Amino acid sequence: MDKVVALTKRRGFIYPSSEIYGGVSGLYDYGPYGVALKRAIRDLWWRHVVELRDDVVGLESTLIMPSDVWAASGHLEHFVDELRQCEGKCRKRWRTDHISGDRCPDCGGPLGEPRLFNLMFKTQIGPVEDSASVAYLRPETAQGMFVDFKNVLSSTRVRVPFGIAQQGRAFRNEITPGNFVFRLIEFELMELEYFVKPQQDEEWFQHWRSERMRWYTDVLGIKAERLRFFDHPKEKLAHYSKQTTDIEYEFPFGWGEIEGIADRTDFDLSVHQERSKTDLSYLDPETNERYLPWVIEPAVGVDRIFITLLLDAYDEDVVNDEPRVVLRLHANVAPVQVAIVPLSKKEDLIKVARQVQASLQGHFRVEYDQTGGHIGRRYRRQDEIGTPFCITVDFDTLNDRAVTIRQRDSTQQERIAIANLGERLRDLVG
Ligand code: GAP
């Protein structure tokens, strides 16, 4: 983990937020390569959950929602962690489910009685704070999908079973943020609320369980042996859930949740229907039955996928008798898919290299790397940010109109005519 954290800062993936003022635990900024990787994760999720299906539509709801929403959803009452504060030297606060015994894990001081702590950030709309103006930053995007359920039903042609998908920021005042971007205060969620007939929840729960696991292995290229399902025991289920399965990854600090798939029953639609006094039922056009659909919800944080990808891809090996650090990222997610590396700064070489760059840009995530220095050093830099293919433009290029594709993992090189380069890269990137 330490090596990956150092790499992310060194190479511009992630920086501590407000670092020049000392930083804030649980808040991170994403640098240029981090942004590219994050966008790739988001786009692949959207492509596979929304665009490649004909039964899921998108939504963007607000980040701030009034307290009525959170009262109905149960978040005001249930979205709490139990904490104990050290009454010894360090005064640290701990989540009771993260510790055992009555002593502070850091300084050994006695721990106070457990207290409940709500994780939502409270704010107010307008200048006067009264009960009508109280609002909260959303801790999940899901409630937006339930609150807008009727609008989506009446303005589109969706028919049960169908889903509403949303990506966006969420905020949780975590007592112990940590493990880098694994547990954050501000993070990004990708959630699907998939509405089904009440009796068909089991079938769809199984569908999304396997569909989501397949996405991690086949689309993101995460090692299958480091992934597993974890079924929540009944007594630990969230207040809205009939059953929940997590997809877990074997992190350096142990198995941890990447994604949760929950069977939320009709809990959310029924509580919002009751509190808002708005009919949220669905009329089945074929059977004329009216009912509240049940919901299967796969929910995952982008930042958690991000750290999983980096840890899964990080490797060290030896090339030409020199140790190297390499991120073996799948080409689908690599922040740079193709780097153009001219062998020298000679003008005629640069001209061709720029032409090659222009022909590939827009089709791949491309970087032009002419920062000088030995070509081997530039390959190493690209290896460290996970670039699967480097295109070397050398002096022979001027005569044979061909370039070399250098593959990150094998370091093998292949000579190819510039005219065929785009097609060959399309085959390689997939
Ligand atoms: N709507 C359901 C829901 O929010 P959750 O298990 O609380 O369920 C879903 O969160 C996902 O969000 C988790 O599986 C994880 O990937 C991510 N997540 C949750 N809390 C997080 C945090 N503090 N920092 C980063 N990601 C978080």
Side-chain angles (χ1 to χ4, degrees):
M1 184 66 135
D2 289 345
K3 287 179 175 176
V4 167
V5 172
L7 186 150
T8 59
K9 176 128 193 252
R10 185 169 72 243
R11 292 298 182 198
F13 283 84
I14 297 181
Y15 314 121
S17 164
S18 313
E19 193 181 15
I20 59 170
Y21 291 101
V24 183
S25 172
L27 292 179
Y28 286 92
D29 296 340
Y30 284 82
Y33 292 125
V35 169
L37 176 50
K38 235 177 148 190
R39 291 188 80 93
I41 296 169
R42 264 191 232 123
D43 289 351
L44 287 167
W45 187 89
W46 197 259
R47 182 163 170 73
H48 287 264
V49 172
V50 182
E51 289 173 357
L52 293 178
R53 303 181 63 99
D54 66 356
D55 56 352
V56 178
V57 294
L59 185 81
E60 282 189 19
S61 60
T62 56
L63 277 59
I64 299 179
M65 294 170 93
S67 73
D68 276 350
V69 171
W70 308 110
S73 69
H75 281 80
L76 285 184
E77 188 184 347
H78 298 291
F79 200 58
V80 286
D81 275 344
E82 206 180 69
L83 71 83
R84 296 182 75 179
Q85 181 162 16
C86 168
E87 291 175 344
K89 236 192 267 156
C90 77
R91 316 291 298 167
K92 262 197 183 153
R93 295 183 179 91
W94 300 93
R95 256 172 73 167
T96 52
D97 58 340
H98 286 177
I99 51 170
S100 58
D102 288 324
R103 293 267 147 194
C104 172
D106 261 14
C107 74
L111 292 172
E113 285 301 304
R115 282 187 295 128
L116 289 180
F117 172 74
N118 194 297
L119 301 184
M120 282 195 296
F121 284 95
K122 191 176 178 184
T123 186
Q124 79 202 42
I125 297 171
V128 183
E129 186 181 346
D130 56 25
S131 59
S133 68
V134 172
Y136 293 87
L137 293 185
R138 64 185 183 190
E140 61 171 18
T141 69
Q143 295 308 318
M145 268 95 83
F146 301 127
V147 168
D148 275 340
F149 177 73
K150 193 177 153 76
N151 283 332
V152 174
L153 267 191
S154 60
S155 59
T156 69
R157 290 158 168 255
V158 289
R159 295 266 165 91
V160 169
F162 76 94
I164 307 180
Q166 176 160 206
Q167 300 179 326
R169 298 268 168 165
F171 304 83
R172 295 183 188 181
N173 202 355
E174 298 279 359
I175 298 160
T176 47
N179 285 325
F180 198 35
V181 297
F182 181 84
R183 182 166 288 105
L184 295 169
I185 287 173
E186 176 178 343
F187 59 102
E188 197 166 334
L189 268 175
M190 305 192 288
E191 297 192 289
L192 168 68
E193 307 306 322
Y194 197 80
F195 299 92
V196 303
K197 269 192 159 176
Q199 311 76 15
Q200 292 177 356
D201 62 318
E202 189 56 37
E203 179 188 322
W204 283 106
F205 185 71
Q206 295 306 332
H207 168 87
W208 283 109
R209 233 171 153 260
S210 49
E211 193 55 26
R212 295 301 303 144
M213 182 62 101
R214 193 188 61 75
W215 187 74
Y216 287 106
T217 53
D218 297 5
V219 181
L220 300 191
I222 295 177
K223 295 180 190 82
E225 63 275 19
R226 293 216 186 135
L227 291 166
R228 72 174 187 192
F229 288 117
F230 171 75
D231 299 323
H232 284 218
K234 287 261 175 273
E235 66 279 8
K236 295 237 164 112
L237 288 172
H239 64 278
Y240 51 74
S241 176
K242 173 183 157 190
Q243 54 182 332
T244 298
T245 296
D246 288 345
I247 294 178
E248 292 191 333
Y249 182 78
E250 194 175 13
F251 291 99
F253 48 86
W255 287 93
E257 170 187 352
I258 311 182
E259 167 157 350
I261 299 136
D263 183 341
R264 292 182 81 123
T265 70
D266 62 356
F267 175 84
D268 303 273
L269 289 181
S270 79
V271 292
H272 285 303
Q273 173 167 272
E274 196 183 320
R275 191 168 180 107
S276 68
K277 312 261 181 294
T278 307
D279 179 9
L280 298 180
S281 63
Y282 172 77
L283 178 64
D284 189 316
E286 270 149 36
T287 62
N288 249 357
E289 274 175 280
R290 191 171 270 289
Y291 59 86
L292 283 181
W294 279 35
V295 173
I296 306 300
E297 176 199 65
V300 60
V302 179
D303 316 78
R304 239 175 233 194
I305 298 178
F306 191 103
I307 187 61
T308 305
L309 284 172
L310 292 186
L311 288 164
D312 201 59
Y314 184 92
D315 198 9
E316 293 171 359
D317 63 2
V318 175
V319 172
N320 299 335
D321 295 332
E322 273 187 38
R324 78 163 173 167
V325 169
V326 53
L327 282 187
R328 300 191 191 279
L329 290 171
H330 194 291
N332 277 345
V333 290
V336 177
Q337 293 169 311
V338 182
I340 318 294
V341 196
L343 194 63
S344 101
K345 286 183 177 167
K346 289 253 160 57
E347 227 169 82
D348 36 0
L349 270 199
I350 289 170
K351 193 168 159 216
V352 183
R354 287 291 191 192
Q355 282 166 354
V356 171
Q357 177 195 7
S359 73
L360 300 176
Q361 230 155 13
H363 303 285
F364 306 98
R365 289 185 287 277
V366 174
E367 181 172 276
Y368 179 80
D369 189 352
Q370 188 205 296
T371 42
H374 189 259
I375 187 96
R377 213 167 302 141
R378 280 183 280 160
Y379 286 154
R380 294 303 158 83
R381 186 177 160 275
Q382 293 296 336
D383 289 341
E384 260 198 48
I385 62 168
T387 307
F389 307 107
C390 285
I391 309 300
T392 318
V393 179
D394 57 26
F395 292 104
D396 290 338
T397 306
L398 300 176
N399 302 319
D400 64 2
R401 302 293 297 169
V403 290
T404 303
I405 302 177
R406 184 252 189 197
Q407 303 215 9
R408 175 195 66 205
D409 292 343
S410 61
T411 73
Q412 265 174 4
Q413 309 211 358
E414 166 190 348
R415 195 82 186 156
I416 184 150
I418 292 175
N420 301 329
L421 181 63
E423 201 183 323
R424 177 72 183 126
L425 283 171
R426 253 185 295 282
D427 282 350
L428 288 169
V429 170

